[in-house]
């Protein structure tokens, strides 16, 4: 509220913060804002009906060595060269006092501050988010896939400033420390709605929304109507169809 006074509809400028619970979610303690856009990056004359800037629509994953948390998020900067899907990281050791400890990836280094720093996008916005014909990936959802032995991100793809969904895409990378190594996104669903997410269901393997195997549930907008099957190069597509969703 008050970000762009007099603006209708009201728009936001998201920030990313951290909270912690020590009693399994019964109570929470606010640790502060850890990722924010530069203060001069707002666009109050935007035609977008959701935001005038900011950084949001994110997911986080701890690397296998428990050295860094990696944040995958969207930048809605006024400058189109700073728009798109971005990445930042924070040392695992700093998790109890994270403010000022997150650094954005920019120009092949992890030196830009999480609060106000510049970004180099891993999936750049193709057409300005603040124009009617906006064209951009957004909303990255990451997990580690034990069958592929790779990290997997699912992405939304908007084809205008009203977030009309063109499709759901997938991209792969073996090393979180190499943001430039993510593969070209491939479409796996046409249209559909927002927020794709993979959730593993093998409790014996301790699968979660951050860890999944060959077969997992595919959620979109919080509902699962499909299973998703991950295949290594040379593996055959299963002869039977995945079971219906619920």
């Amino acid at each position: 509220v008050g970000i762009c006074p007099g603006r209708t509809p009201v728009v936001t400028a998201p920030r990313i913060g951290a909270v912690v619970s020590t009693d399994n979610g019964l109570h929470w303690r606010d640790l502060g804002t850890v990722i924010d856009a530069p203060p001069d990056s707002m666009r109050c004359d935007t035609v977008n009906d959701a935001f005038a800037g900011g950084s949001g629509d994110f997911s986080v994953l701890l690397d296998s060595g428990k050295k860094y948390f990696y944040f995958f998020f969207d930048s809605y900067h006024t400058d189109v060269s700073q728009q798109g899907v971005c990445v930042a990281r924070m040392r695992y050791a700093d998790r109890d006092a994270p403010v000022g400890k997150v650094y954005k990836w920019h120009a092949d280094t992890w030196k830009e501050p999480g609060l106000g720093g510049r970004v180099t996008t891993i999936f750049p916005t193709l057409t300005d988010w603040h124009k009617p014909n906006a064209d951009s990936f957004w909303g990255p959802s990451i997990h580690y896939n034990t069958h592929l032995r790779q990290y997997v991100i699912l992405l939304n793809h908007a084809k205008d400033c009203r977030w009309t969904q063109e499709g759901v895409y997938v991209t792969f990378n073996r090393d979180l420390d190499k943001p430039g190594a993510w593969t070209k996104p491939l479409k796996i669903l046409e249209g559909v709605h927002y927020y794709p997410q993979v959730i593993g269901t093998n409790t014996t393997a301790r699968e979660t929304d951050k860890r999944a195997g060959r077969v997992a549930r595919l959620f979109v907008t919080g509902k699962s109507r499909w299973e998703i099957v991950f295949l290594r190069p040379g593996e055959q597509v299963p002869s039977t169809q995945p079971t219906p969703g619920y």
Side-chain angles (χ1 to χ4, degrees):
V1 176
I3 289 171
C4 294
R7 166 68 192 252
T8 303
V10 173
V11 289
T12 67
R15 297 176 293 176
I16 297 172
V19 294
V20 65
S21 173
T22 57
D23 56 11
N24 210 27
L26 184 62
H27 301 91
W28 293 88
R29 179 164 54 93
D30 186 358
L31 300 180
T33 299
V34 297
I35 295 178
D36 199 1
D40 60 351
S41 63
M42 302 285 289
R43 183 76 180 272
C44 282
D45 65 344
T46 182
V47 297
N48 196 286
D49 62 2
F51 55 74
S55 301
D57 291 301
F58 70 103
S59 61
V60 183
L61 187 67
L62 179 64
D63 66 20
S64 58
K66 289 190 175 182
K67 188 175 181 181
Y68 290 101
F69 286 104
Y70 285 83
F71 298 73
F72 293 85
F73 64 98
D74 302 324
S75 170
Y76 303 122
H77 200 288
T78 184
D79 181 356
V80 69
S81 70
Q82 293 278 300
Q83 293 177 17
V85 178
C86 314
V87 60
R89 73 181 187 183
M90 178 189 75
R91 291 193 313 155
Y92 178 72
D94 292 327
R95 64 194 182 280
D96 291 326
V99 176
K101 307 295 177 56
V102 176
Y103 291 90
K104 297 173 180 174
W105 184 67
H106 173 67
D108 291 326
T109 66
W110 301 94
K111 296 181 179 179
E112 286 291 311
L115 299 174
R118 298 168 294 172
V119 295
T120 295
T121 57
I122 54 177
F123 300 114
T125 292
L126 300 177
T127 302
D128 194 340
W129 265 116
H130 302 289
K131 292 183 177 181
N133 60 334
D135 183 348
S136 186
F137 291 111
W138 66 280
S141 175
I142 187 170
H143 81 277
Y144 180 74
N145 193 277
T146 56
H147 183 68
L148 300 180
R149 298 180 183 176
Q150 295 190 67
Y151 297 95
V152 180
I153 286 180
L154 298 189
L155 297 161
N156 304 284
H157 183 213
K159 61 181 181 180
D160 58 37
C161 68
R162 296 186 179 277
W163 307 80
T164 302
Q165 180 81 333
E166 182 271 338
V168 172
Y169 287 71
V170 65
T171 176
F172 306 91
N173 193 346
R174 293 188 182 278
D175 191 347
L176 293 180
D177 192 40
K178 297 178 179 178
W182 286 97
T183 61
K184 181 180 178 180
L186 297 174
K187 187 188 294 188
I188 61 172
L189 284 176
E190 185 78 30
V192 195
H193 226 65
Y194 311 140
Y195 301 116
Q197 184 180 25
V198 171
I199 298 184
T201 59
N202 186 333
T203 56
T204 302
R206 297 185 178 182
E207 292 183 353
T208 65
D209 62 328
K210 301 298 182 187
R211 181 182 177 90
R214 184 174 181 272
V215 180
R217 296 302 307 187
L218 174 61
F219 281 74
V220 181
T221 321
K223 298 179 180 179
S224 178
R225 297 167 54 195
W226 305 276
E227 286 181 334
I228 184 168
V229 180
F230 294 94
L231 301 177
R232 298 171 184 158
E235 280 191 313
Q236 298 298 311
V237 176
S239 58
T240 57
Q241 294 296 315
T243 57
Y246 45 80

